[in-house]
Amino acid sequence: MNSSLNAARRRWELDEARTDVVDVLVVGLGATGAGAALDAASRGLSVAAVDAHDLAFGTSRWSSKLIHGGLRYLASGQVGVAWESAVERDALLRFTAPHLVAAHPYLLPLTPAVPRAQAATLMAGYRLGDALRAAAGTPRRLLPGPSRLAAGRALALAPSLRADGLRGALLSWDGRVVDDARLVVALARTAAAHGARILTRCRALALAGDGARVRDELTGDEFDIRARAVINATGVWAGELTPSVALRPSRGTHLVLRPGALGALRAGLHVPIPGERARFALVLPQADGRVYAGLTDEPLDGPVPDVPEAPESDVAFLLEVVGTALDRPLSRADVAGAFAGLRPLIDTVDTADTAGTAETAGAGRTADLSRRHAVLRSPDGVVTVVGGKLTTYRRMAEDAVDAACPHARASRTARLPLVGAGPVRPDTPGRLARRYGSEAWALRDLMRRDPALAEPVALGITLAELVWSVRHEGALDAGDLLDRRTRIGLVPEDRAAALPAAEAALAYP
Ligand SMILES: Cc1cc2nc3c(=O)[nH]c(=O)nc-3n(C[C@H](O)[C@H](O)[C@H](O)COP(=O)(O)OP(=O)(O)OC[C@H]3O[C@@H](n4cnc5c(N)ncnc54)[C@H](O)[C@@H]3O)c2cc1C
């Protein structure tokens, strides 16, 4: 079947979903839900998957975009979580999404804030992480090992580092996805290619073991989707549909710094957070020139918002921490935008059966809560998959489908290439190759047929990419185009400037 998602396909598949009984209904189309839809569809099961908003509307678009090998979990003794992360990182790098996921270098500057003994411990940790890499089967070619750099070399990679007192830096490598939202789109489209019905703007109002009451958010129409198994993959909102699932959301804020705010930065940075043992702020240069800096970890009290706000207190905290490693402090003027996401951390596992991994985290600080995932079956038979992280979405999806459909054949996704993972034509420009992989030629073809589509919109993104998103990536409105298919919308003035282009793409014949 074709992998293209668009308004016309949504319409006809919505009609079918009202009458058919599917093997699996997946609720939520973040990385976990889209992964579950793909896992189930590629096992030969019939699947409907709904999201109240858009693909990657929730936490999955607000991550740091690290596909991490789980080093920090080793540090806290969670060996199983670390191993799972290293294995899943390997699958993404080598088999499933080599066009979207690649190694990225990070520097930990050895400033006076990092005593020699701590530097030695950190290097030992990196070496352990490298051993995990090797054990998971990831070749050094794809993920180089750690090393120690002299100060001059560190400054060549990160010229904005404070040179005064710099003894050098620890260089480490980890995986990174070019854009978390693009990973979700690739998962959903690959699921669609295996026959899954991917239905955005469809809110589940109530779940049961044999289906859900759903509202089409575009028309207000309510109807039932009947299914033999139901998976709740609504992340931080899971408890709203399955009250036995208790979560302790934790807010993580990133700043979007203007291109050039940190000079010609060629590596990410790990900046020690003053007063914290082994916690670091991250500085993450993006391919489009912007630099993200994160990451806070604050418990959220009260109702879970659709789109969390990044408070000024988080912005000030991050500017201050990152500034400690730089030759000039960052100011509010360096901040072009900010975003926050909510980690769906598991609090307690109430009365539900645990079908996968879960633990009771009690009332600890959210930064200390487990990042393991849980698969929980509630008394009405709904299977909820929650917790975990972007890196391990595939394993979470596999565990959820195993629990929901115990008689299905085994998961096939560990080696299943996502849309775009095929060979890339040699003359493909790097930016298109990194975002579209083997589909990049089709984008170039669009531009050749209508040169007006080669018109740049923002950040090197062309009108052709927006038209492509409408035709093939399920974008239904300007928000889908600017906030999820591209990330132009992270900076409010860029978003406003690009709005007419998004409208033009939606109207393009
Ligand atoms: C700040 C931050 C940084 C992070 N960084 C990393 C990182 O670098 N690497 C990493 O591996 N992990 C990272 N994580 C963790 C990772 O992002 C999440 O664990 C993961 O994205 C969760 O995905 P999900 O699909 O479970 O949930 P979500 O992406 O939140 O998806 C849930 C979906 O359910 C939909 N939904 C909600 N209610 C309904 C309803 N009633 N009906 C239908 N649909 C509904 C929502 O619209 C949403 O699209 C980070 C998390 C945060 C917060």
Side-chain angles (χ1 to χ4, degrees), residues 84 346 357-358 371-375 385-388 392 395-396 399:
E84 194 172 273
I346 303 155
T357 52
R371 301 290 154 94
R372 298 174 78 181
H373 67 271
V375 179
V385 54
V386 74
T392 54
R395 179 59 196 272
M396 294 171 69
D399 287 351

Side-chain angles (χ1 to χ4, degrees), residues 119 160 212 235 242 256 267 276 281 310-311 313 432:
S160 54
T242 308
V256 182
E276 298 268 358
S313 53
L432 287 184

Side-chain angles (χ1 to χ4, degrees), residues 26-35 50-68 72-73 85 175-177 180 184 199 201-207 213-214 217 232-238 240-241 250-254 282 284 295-296 306 339-345 371 385-393 396 484:
V26 179
V27 182
L29 282 163
T32 311
V50 298
D51 197 286
H53 304 275
D54 181 26
L55 307 175
F57 184 86
T59 304
S60 295
R61 69 173 150 145
W62 303 128
S63 82
S64 304
K65 291 144 195 54
L66 306 180
I67 298 298
H68 44 76
R72 49 188 287 209
Y73 309 111
S85 300
R176 202 165 80 173
V177 60
D180 41 16
V184 177
L199 303 168
R201 307 307 197 286
C202 283
R203 177 180 293 278
L205 302 171
L207 302 186
R213 185 78 184 155
V214 171
E217 297 288 49
N232 175 0
T234 53
V236 81
W237 296 275
E240 292 175 7
L241 290 169
S250 141
R251 186 186 65 239
T253 296
H254 287 90
L282 292 170
L284 305 158
L295 174 70
T296 57
D306 279 354
F339 61 89
L342 299 174
R343 299 176 187 84
L345 301 182
R371 301 290 154 94
V385 54
V386 74
K389 49 198 174 294
L390 197 72
T391 307
T392 54
Y393 79 84
M396 294 171 69
R484 290 167 290 278

Side-chain angles (χ1 to χ4, degrees), residues 22-246:
V22 288
D23 291 323
V24 189
L25 169 65
V26 179
V27 182
L29 282 163
T32 311
L38 172 58
D39 192 282
S42 60
R43 296 186 198 211
L45 300 169
S46 59
V47 177
V50 298
D51 197 286
H53 304 275
D54 181 26
L55 307 175
F57 184 86
T59 304
S60 295
R61 69 173 150 145
W62 303 128
S63 82
S64 304
K65 291 144 195 54
L66 306 180
I67 298 298
H68 44 76
L71 181 56
R72 49 188 287 209
Y73 309 111
L74 268 190
S76 57
Q78 301 179 59
V79 181
V81 185
W83 172 244
E84 194 172 273
S85 300
V87 168
E88 294 305 325
R89 178 182 64 183
D90 181 64
L92 283 158
L93 276 167
R94 282 206 291 156
F95 304 107
T96 60
H99 57 311
L100 297 177
V101 178
H104 195 78
Y106 297 90
L107 293 182
L108 192 151
L110 297 175
T111 63
V114 185
R116 285 175 198 280
Q118 191 191 4
T121 310
L122 288 165
M123 193 55 171
Y126 288 149
R127 294 223 166 87
L128 216 53
D130 193 47
L132 265 187
R133 168 204 60 75
T138 315
R140 272 250 162 85
R141 171 178 59 80
L142 289 182
L143 205 60
S147 56
R148 186 179 166 143
L149 304 183
R153 182 86 184 97
L155 287 166
L157 291 173
S160 54
L161 281 178
R162 180 179 297 172
D164 188 26
L166 189 70
R167 308 195 302 281
L170 304 183
L171 171 68
S172 62
W173 294 77
D174 211 342
R176 202 165 80 173
V177 60
V178 63
D179 182 344
D180 41 16
R182 286 208 73 71
L183 176 65
V184 177
V185 171
L187 286 166
R189 287 186 56 205
T190 313
H194 283 83
R197 291 182 189 131
I198 303 292
L199 303 168
T200 58
R201 307 307 197 286
C202 283
R203 177 180 293 278
L205 302 171
L207 302 186
D210 60 354
R213 185 78 184 155
V214 171
R215 184 173 64 221
D216 178 348
E217 297 288 49
L218 296 182
T219 61
D221 211 18
E222 287 188 20
F223 57 99
D224 293 321
I225 295 183
R226 289 175 300 147
R228 295 180 189 89
V230 175
I231 296 176
N232 175 0
T234 53
V236 81
W237 296 275
E240 292 175 7
L241 290 169
T242 308
S244 57
V245 174

Side-chain angles (χ1 to χ4, degrees), residues 357-381:
T357 52
E359 67 183 34
T360 301
R365 282 182 51 187
T366 53
D368 301 326
L369 291 189
S370 169
R371 301 290 154 94
R372 298 174 78 181
H373 67 271
V375 179
L376 311 161
R377 184 185 295 278
S378 46
D380 58 5

